[in-house]
Amino acid sequence: MTTREIILNRALELFNLRGIENVGIRELATDLNIRPGNITYYFPKKEDILVELGKQLSELNSATIVKLENPSMTDFMERYRQVFNNHYEYRCLFLSFVSQMQQNKKLSENYGKVEKSRLEDFRKILNKLVEAGYLDTSVTEDDIEQLVSFLSLVARFWISESTVSYKKLSKKQAINHYLNLIGFVFSKHATIIGKKQINSFLSGL
Amino acid sequence: MTTREIILNRALELFNLRGIENVGIRELATDLNIRPGNITYYFPKKEDILVELGKQLSELNSATIVKLENPSMTDFMERYRQVFNNHYEYRCLFLSFVSQMQQNKKLSENYGKVEKSRLEDFRKILNKLVEAGYLDTSVTEDDIEQLVSFLSLVARFWISESTVSYKKLSKKQAINHYLNLIGFVFSKHATIIGKKQINSFLSGL
DNA sequence: ACATTTTTAGGACAACGTCCAAATTTATTT
DNA sequence: AAATAAATTTGGACGTTGTCCTAAAAATGT
């Protein structure tokens, strides 16, 4: 492992553990038994570490969100379960979501691009779920926009809320909580078979 | 206006404008043409300013959320519109929600108490909406829990998301967006008359 | 008028992100 | 193998931050 990778790995660990703002370059350096200026050599600004971690998360999600030909309702839920797991591994980014997006221009740019295409993907998936008879045909384009809005809100902030309000919950419990919420909202727009898949997915958590 | 009040008012303005973390005690002092130590006299720690602002928001919300005997679906939506307006006036708190809750013990305590009773209120309101025939009788206690979960997620993070993703939207537009989302979710659990009220409320925005 | 309390001022401290020049190690070329 | 070049590491510096502390000033009460 290169020095650069060592720094990135340990930074992610410490950031997840104690928050990005609460872990200084000096502390990270001490922890790694190197000098602060050495970190600065690989990452001139602290921001640059987070840009890299953001890319890692993005790639991780790209790897899990493989495009399916004929997605089922189960596939859809399972996909979100995996995305949530990925998010958790990089939870420090979400816990400082707003401040990072405001301060870190590059991270913000990267996230903006990825998220845009990601939402587009989910829009398509939802349309396919309608075509395939998992979501009601009464679901309009406008409804799909609302569902996508809902999904993006949950995806962005579930970690923040669970950290603040559901501290006692384990990772799995927290993820299940928000999967249940998604299932709850979606089942109201699902067909009978769609509802069945949601319920069996949720009860299998 | 006392020095203390002057500090609080201007602090809220600057915090809303540029973010809590980006406005230092020295800058606030310079802006007010007083000395930093003077602010420290009234608020020994920066945190203490935010504790006070948190109380102000809490009182503002308590004033707008008057308990209704027979709430209609319209009342419910109107209530949220007002809460969102209040939130916007204190948006700095929500934009630094997680970090404040983690660092600011007192603010966290206060928020915890208020939010707990607030959620309890909304639980009761939803039950009343069922009784009064605005929400389906098929709505179970479990459904109400999910709806409350949904509401609290939106309430906590709508400002964060709109700041990051919907920068161009005006205050009113942003609020309308999330009211629409709430209406969208709730209309699926509403009776015919409930749906009517939601739709007429949303179209009147 | 004096004495006491409240308020203001201004300088100090450690920690932070960042920067830079020198020293050291590693790689490349002769 | 020696000399040169490049990459890496070091250690100290700068300005800014929140916080703290002591003394001066103003306001208040007796």
Side-chain angles (χ1 to χ4, degrees), chain B residues 151-205:
Chain B
L151 287 172
S152 83
L153 183 71
V154 176
R156 281 168 175 157
F157 296 105
W158 74 272
I159 290 183
S160 292
E161 188 180 61
S162 65
T163 300
V164 170
S165 293
Y166 309 115
K167 297 179 192 176
K168 318 137 212 163
L169 295 189
S170 68
K171 168 187 169 182
K172 196 178 175 185
Q173 288 174 321
I175 290 179
N176 289 357
H177 178 266
Y178 291 96
L179 287 175
N180 268 290
L181 183 57
I182 290 178
F184 170 73
V185 170
F186 270 73
S187 68
K188 279 287 169 177
H189 300 85
T191 58
I192 294 177
I193 185 170
K195 281 193 181 78
K196 250 186 197 167
Q197 290 198 359
I198 291 174
N199 287 333
S200 85
F201 175 85
L202 292 179
S203 62
L205 286 177

Side-chain angles (χ1 to χ4, degrees), chain A residues 24-26 46:
Chain A
I25 299 296
R26 286 174 180 80
K46 191 179 179 181

Side-chain angles (χ1 to χ4, degrees), chain A residues 79-111:
Chain A
R79 192 130 322 175
Y80 259 96
R81 201 182 63 79
Q82 294 222 24
V83 168
F84 284 180
N85 269 293
N86 294 342
H87 283 190
Y88 189 83
E89 298 306 313
Y90 289 81
R91 55 192 176 282
C92 61
L93 293 174
F94 293 95
L95 291 174
S96 304
F97 188 68
V98 180
S99 61
Q100 285 302 319
M101 285 298 143
Q102 286 177 339
Q103 294 169 8
N104 198 326
K105 197 180 167 186
K106 231 171 220 169
L107 181 61
S108 164
E109 270 181 26
N110 294 346
Y111 181 82

Side-chain angles (χ1 to χ4, degrees), chain B residues 97-111:
Chain B
F97 188 69
V98 180
S99 61
Q100 285 302 319
M101 287 297 145
Q102 287 177 338
Q103 295 169 7
N104 198 326
K105 198 180 167 187
K106 232 170 217 167
L107 181 62
S108 164
E109 270 181 25
N110 294 347
Y111 180 82

Side-chain angles (χ1 to χ4, degrees), chain A residues 51-93:
Chain A
V51 172
E52 202 52 40
L53 293 177
K55 284 184 186 170
Q56 287 182 5
L57 171 59
S58 169
E59 284 173 22
L60 194 57
N61 271 336
S62 295
T64 53
I65 307 183
V66 206
K67 275 157 196 171
L68 285 180
E69 301 302 316
N70 302 312
S72 68
M73 205 66 221
T74 308
D75 292 331
F76 172 79
M77 295 299 292
E78 178 58 31
R79 192 130 322 175
Y80 259 96
R81 201 182 63 79
Q82 294 222 24
V83 168
F84 284 180
N85 269 293
N86 294 342
H87 283 190
Y88 189 83
E89 298 306 313
Y90 289 81
R91 55 192 176 282
C92 61
L93 293 174

